[in-house]
Amino acid sequence: MKKLYIKTFGCQMNENDSEKVYLLLKDEYELTENPLEADLILINTCSVREKPEHKLYSEIGRFKELKKKKPKLIIGAMGCVAQQEGEKLLERFPYLDLVLGTQGFYRIREALEEIAKKGKPAVYTELKEDFKIPLILSNEKSSKRHRVKAYINIMQGCDNFCTYCIVPYVRGREISRPPEEILKEAEELVKKEGVKEITLLGQNVNSYGKKEKDYPDFADLLERLSQIDGLLRIRFTTSHPKDLSEKLMKVIAENPKVCKHIHLPLQAGSNRILKKMNRKYTREEYLEKVERLRELCPEIAITSDIIVGFPGETEEDFLETIDMLERVRFHEVFSFKYSDRPYAVARNFENKVPEEIKEERLKKVHEVQARITKEIYNSYVNKEVEVLVEGISEKDPTKLTGRTTTNVVVNFKSPRLDLEGALVKVVITEAGKHSLKGEYKETLVL
Ligand code: SAH
Ligand code: SF4
Ligand code: F3S
């Protein structure tokens, strides 16, 4: 067996793509954690902000010497930066053998054959409007693996064109996968690999099936998946606030397998900025949806993404973002400094915010949110929660770790440590900054 080393940057979509690449290659390659012993090195890249893009460049740079010593080594870049830069990457890194875009990576075997035959780099960066994600199921070999959690990609691309964002350009148009394939993939994961929790992935899962004739909508897809025996939990990400329907809210509230958590990126609190971002909702509409969601499902945890320093964002606009944090009280917030991206139209907007101000605003978001998260986490203390056990805690091997339905990490003491994949009841004893501590109470599903 040859050895494959994959380094993945970026979102869960990318993690899932790396997994698929492994499945495509597993007859010939086994995974290694050590790039020095690899025959094939793949770097799966993200270009959503400038920082992750640069990680690719330093990562490829790292392997230059290795390639000199091992000329047969194949080095490839895949994912969003590969899509964005295409052949240009070969100019910058002449020792690169493979450039596989966000659709091209499914053809990795063909690309490897091409390299072997022609002895020169292969570049697959076509982005088709009618691309069909191939169905790649794990077979015998991977079925020996046991996993508690897995991802399923239910759609690709994005049609929203938020003005700051590169994703629609590097991931192409929004296309949903056929429901039968999604169900088949889910059933296999549950049956063959013992998966208990599935996270459905898409840039905007709420618009699943909208463009395709005869497809169920996202709420119906959730209902269908929840009928799979042995599957205990379903999560999904990301939801766009404009497409969050009453029907979906009801399914979240009423279906016991659907986790009580929604990632609902707000991005900014000022209507003026939201408009310039092309987000297609106002702060009032966002608040209304949150209120309705909580009316239907009081225990729901809402998390969010925030961008600070979008072009033209004044102090007043920014304070409206802070005001939204206080009003909504998210469980957790991922916040980013705005950065110019290729293709994204906001790069041509005027009144760019200076770096120091972005830095200050980011700090302020962190401060305010840290307090709110702490208050929310404290409110779990002395309560009983259901935790899906993911395994032994990495930090403390005498404890188990898992998550609540609201997606909060819980590390807890337990008389038994062999509970991976079980759903257990835990009493929360202490709240930390990023997780909760607790004690095992009873097993609900083994
Ligand atoms: N499709 C998802 C998110 C995709 S990108 C959604 O719509 O929510 C993940 C996050 O990165 C975004 O929510 C946004 O907060 C952030 N982001 C995207 N482009 C950015 C940019 N140019 N600068 C800073 N943050 C950005
Ligand atoms: Fe980017 Fe907006 Fe699409 Fe999300 S919805 S991927 S932020 S364009
Ligand atoms: Fe990054 Fe591409 Fe995901 S840009 S966030 S890896 S869709």
Side-chain angles (χ1 to χ4, degrees):
M1 285 292 252
K2 290 192 240 175
K3 289 192 161 42
L4 163 67
Y5 171 82
I6 308 190
K7 175 100 184 175
T8 310
F9 296 100
C11 61
Q12 289 130 320
M13 198 81 72
N14 258 12
E15 281 175 40
N16 190 50
D17 292 348
S18 291
E19 164 79 15
K20 294 293 178 205
V21 162
Y22 161 68
L23 288 178
L24 286 167
L25 294 176
K26 71 180 175 327
D27 293 339
E28 271 179 83
Y29 289 87
E30 61 190 6
L31 285 172
T32 172
E33 304 270 309
N34 178 6
L36 298 179
E37 62 167 28
D39 301 287
L40 171 59
I41 291 178
L42 290 172
I43 306 155
N44 194 359
T45 59
C46 172
S47 58
V48 77
R49 286 170 295 276
E50 219 174 328
K51 224 157 114 195
E53 182 181 335
H54 284 135
K55 282 196 188 144
L56 164 71
Y57 301 133
S58 61
E59 199 66 22
I60 308 184
R62 261 182 65 193
F63 299 125
K64 187 175 177 181
E65 289 305 311
L66 190 60
K67 176 86 181 183
K68 268 194 200 150
K69 280 188 221 140
K70 271 175 80 173
K72 280 199 182 146
L73 169 69
I74 296 173
I75 304 179
M78 57 180 277
C80 295
V81 183
Q83 186 66 50
Q84 172 198 320
E85 295 294 308
E87 294 212 348
K88 278 187 268 169
L89 283 177
L90 296 178
E91 285 161 32
R92 191 156 171 185
F93 304 100
Y95 51 96
L96 203 61
D97 303 283
L98 260 177
V99 180
L100 298 173
T102 53
Q103 295 177 356
F105 77 85
Y106 291 103
R107 290 164 63 203
I108 185 154
R109 295 173 60 152
E110 195 184 322
L112 290 172
E113 276 169 31
E114 187 184 317
I115 296 171
K117 228 188 277 162
K118 297 195 184 149
K120 56 176 201 195
V123 179
Y124 289 21
T125 49
E126 207 186 359
L127 209 55
K128 284 197 199 144
E129 291 240 338
D130 58 348
F131 181 73
K132 195 175 169 300
I133 298 181
L135 178 65
I136 305 165
L137 298 172
S138 46
N139 69 4
E140 280 161 67
K141 181 127 196 216
S142 55
S143 68
K144 285 190 194 123
R145 276 186 314 177
H146 231 71
R147 296 193 275 172
V148 178
K149 307 197 290 184
Y151 296 123
I152 298 183
N153 204 348
I154 62 164
M155 57 210 297
Q156 56 156 358
C158 181
D159 287 350
N160 283 320
F161 293 94
C162 304
T163 53
Y164 50 80
C165 188
I166 193 175
V167 172
Y169 304 93
V170 290
R171 290 268 173 184
R173 291 294 56 73
E174 193 173 286
I175 306 168
S176 300
R177 291 179 64 203
E180 314 80 57
E181 292 195 5
I182 297 167
L183 283 157
K184 172 100 184 136
E185 210 172 295
E187 276 161 9
E188 295 273 313
L189 285 167
V190 172
K191 235 179 8 212
K192 294 209 174 140
E193 297 188 31
V195 165
K196 298 286 175 11
E197 176 181 302
I198 284 174
T199 302
L200 305 175
L201 301 178
Q203 293 304 338
N204 181 14
V205 289
N206 322 161
S207 61
Y208 173 82
K210 274 197 181 155
K211 279 169 52 172
E212 288 79 6
K213 244 179 63 198
D214 308 328
Y215 277 28
D217 62 19
F218 185 59
D220 289 334
L221 182 72
L222 286 175
E223 296 278 29
R224 284 213 213 164
L225 282 161
S226 72
Q227 285 159 16
I228 297 176
D229 272 344
L231 179 62
L232 299 179
R233 283 180 168 180
I234 307 171
R235 299 187 184 278
F236 52 86
T237 195
T238 300
S239 301
H240 195 299
K242 79 175 161 51
D243 298 312
L244 177 57
S245 66
E246 172 85 8
K247 183 175 170 190
L248 177 59
M249 291 191 212
K250 284 197 170 133
V251 172
I252 299 171
E254 288 160 19
N255 189 314
K257 287 193 185 178
V258 176
C259 286
K260 310 307 168 207
H261 167 229
I262 188 164
H263 187 62
L264 198 63
L266 169 67
Q267 311 299 5
S270 134
N271 284 337
R272 204 175 64 85
I273 296 298
L274 283 171
K275 193 154 183 58
K276 286 174 76 178
M277 286 178 163
N278 192 28
R279 289 292 287 178
K280 303 188 184 88
Y281 54 83
T282 61
R283 58 190 271 123
E284 292 78 18
E285 283 160 353
Y286 189 96
L287 286 169
E288 261 170 45
K289 296 226 167 160
V290 166
E291 195 184 335
R292 181 67 184 140
L293 198 51
R294 286 187 169 146
E295 217 167 77
L296 292 165
C297 183
E299 75 268 42
I300 196 157
I302 306 173
T303 55
S304 207
D305 291 346
I306 294 288
I307 296 176
V308 298
F310 185 80
E313 184 187 72
T314 62
E315 193 59 25
E316 250 184 331
D317 293 319
F318 172 66
L319 290 175
E320 291 202 67
T321 296
I322 297 293
D323 178 62
M324 284 295 273
L325 299 183
E326 300 282 6
R327 279 171 195 258
V328 179
R329 293 179 65 81
F330 297 109
H331 254 61
E332 199 132 21
V333 164
F334 303 93
S335 45
F336 312 101
K337 287 185 280 184
Y338 166 81
S339 83
D340 278 338
R341 301 312 293 138
Y343 312 113
V345 299
R347 65 176 303 154
N348 301 318
F349 287 4
E350 284 173 5
N351 300 320
K352 293 277 164 63
V353 176
E355 202 54 31
E356 318 84 76
I357 295 185
K358 284 194 241 176
E359 197 64 62
E360 259 171 44
R361 291 181 184 168
L362 190 71
K363 236 174 94 189
K364 179 82 179 163
V365 169
H366 284 165
E367 260 170 40
V368 171
Q369 188 55 41
R371 191 199 74 235
I372 295 170
T373 298
K374 193 170 158 202
E375 286 164 5
I376 293 175
Y377 279 21
N378 280 337
S379 72
Y380 279 90
V381 175
N382 296 326
K383 292 211 175 106
E384 283 181 358
V385 294
E386 284 183 19
V387 173
L388 178 65
V389 183
E390 288 170 27
I392 308 276
S393 159
E394 257 176 42
K395 279 194 208 128
D396 181 350
T398 68
K399 284 185 180 162
L400 291 173
T401 187
R403 282 169 191 261
T404 62
T405 179
T406 53
N407 209 29
V408 180
V409 174
V410 181
N411 296 305
F412 63 101
K413 282 188 236 149
S414 166
R416 274 177 66 178
L417 290 177
D418 58 341
L419 288 173
E420 189 177 301
L423 194 63
V424 301
K425 200 174 261 185
V426 173
V427 186
I428 301 302
T429 51
E430 211 184 310
K433 256 190 180 164
H434 304 288
S435 61
L436 302 171
K437 284 186 186 152
E439 272 170 38
Y440 169 91
K441 182 98 186 285
E442 62 177 317
T443 300
L444 302 166
V445 185
L446 194 59

